Amino acid sequence: PMLAAERTLADGETNMSKAEIDKELEALENGCHNGYKRKAEILEKRHKSDLMAVEAKRKERLRHVNIMYEAELKAAKDDLQYQKESLFLEMQNMLKEKKRKILLEDKGLQAMPNMRTRKRTRPSMMKPKETTARGMRFTLSMDEIKRDIALMKKPFQAHGRDTVAPSKKRRTTRTSTRRRSRR
């Protein structure tokens, strides 16, 4: 049943007696007021619903944080593994190169750059290599080889019969122009 104060609030009337107001105020203070109980119950349901939504958000965020944490752990582990492998290969190559140099020194050879490790082995007293061309054997000196390489690196310039020196071309053009104007 609706109490007088609720009817007054709903209807906008102010026709409540002092005794009715005192009775409702006492019921409100004792926690027995029906209107208060209903509205408090609605507020409690809303609050529980809000708490469930907040809890669901918290769980989802924690799940995302855990996923990110696991991904960062995996990335750090992969990075460590890569760095270890790189260090291993670097040290392995360094030790192999040192071993190779020692073996060469034992054989009386000196280390020179090669294509794979940029180191080439060559006897210290090695003569320039002989080259065969159509049955003829000849030896190139290091200076000749360097000169040939320098020539190969220069840009190509065509030389032919039809190229005329610029000074000769100008004379020809001037004479032909002068002759035309005299006529």
Side-chain angles (χ1 to χ4, degrees):
M2 208 176 200
L3 297 175
E6 290 177 348
R7 280 193 306 262
T8 302
L9 291 174
D11 299 340
E13 297 177 13
T14 56
N15 300 356
M16 281 182 65
S17 69
K18 184 179 183 236
E20 290 174 334
I21 293 174
D22 286 339
K23 184 179 173 186
E24 285 192 35
L25 186 59
E26 185 181 335
L28 183 64
E29 289 173 355
N30 291 333
C32 316
H33 193 279
N34 288 333
Y36 173 77
K37 284 182 181 178
R38 273 194 321 267
K39 291 180 182 180
E41 192 176 301
I42 292 170
L43 290 175
E44 288 287 330
K45 287 179 182 178
R46 284 184 192 163
H47 177 70
K48 284 181 183 178
S49 175
D50 290 345
L51 283 180
M52 287 175 29
V54 168
E55 184 64 23
K57 283 183 184 178
R58 182 183 77 83
K59 286 181 180 178
E60 185 64 20
R61 288 179 180 161
L62 285 174
R63 188 178 73 79
H64 283 287
V65 167
N66 284 333
I67 289 170
M68 288 174 39
Y69 171 75
E70 293 296 326
E72 288 178 9
L73 269 179
K74 184 181 181 315
K77 186 178 178 181
D78 291 346
D79 188 45
L80 175 65
Q81 186 63 31
Y82 173 78
Q83 289 177 353
K84 282 182 173 180
E85 288 173 5
S86 296
L87 177 64
F88 175 82
L89 291 173
E90 183 180 328
M91 291 182 77
Q92 184 183 36
N93 288 336
M94 181 184 67
L95 291 171
K96 284 181 178 180
E97 185 61 27
K98 284 182 180 181
K99 180 180 176 182
R100 189 182 69 76
K101 284 181 181 179
I102 290 171
L103 290 173
L104 290 175
E105 288 173 2
D106 290 346
K107 293 180 180 178
L109 303 173
Q110 69 183 31
M112 304 275 299
N114 75 10
M115 299 306 281
R116 192 170 55 113
T117 61
R118 299 200 181 261
K119 299 284 179 187
R120 185 183 312 170
T121 58
R122 190 178 261 194
S124 57
M125 304 304 260
M126 186 174 170
K127 295 179 182 175
K129 194 173 186 179
E130 289 185 2
T131 308
T132 304
R134 294 188 183 181
M136 296 175 37
R137 296 178 64 90
F138 55 94
T139 304
L140 296 174
S141 69
M142 289 305 280
D143 289 335
E144 290 171 325
I145 293 171
K146 287 178 185 177
R147 192 172 46 240
D148 288 345
I149 291 172
L151 282 173
M152 287 188 280
K153 287 183 179 179
K154 284 187 179 180
F156 178 73
Q157 295 177 350
H159 296 288
R161 289 183 279 174
D162 54 299
T163 55
V164 180
S167 59
K168 292 180 182 178
K169 196 172 190 179
R170 283 187 195 139
R171 287 183 198 157
T172 310
T173 308
R174 286 184 188 159
T175 27
S176 61
T177 309
R178 286 183 192 162
R179 288 182 184 165
R180 286 183 191 162
S181 60
R182 288 182 187 170
R183 291 183 185 177

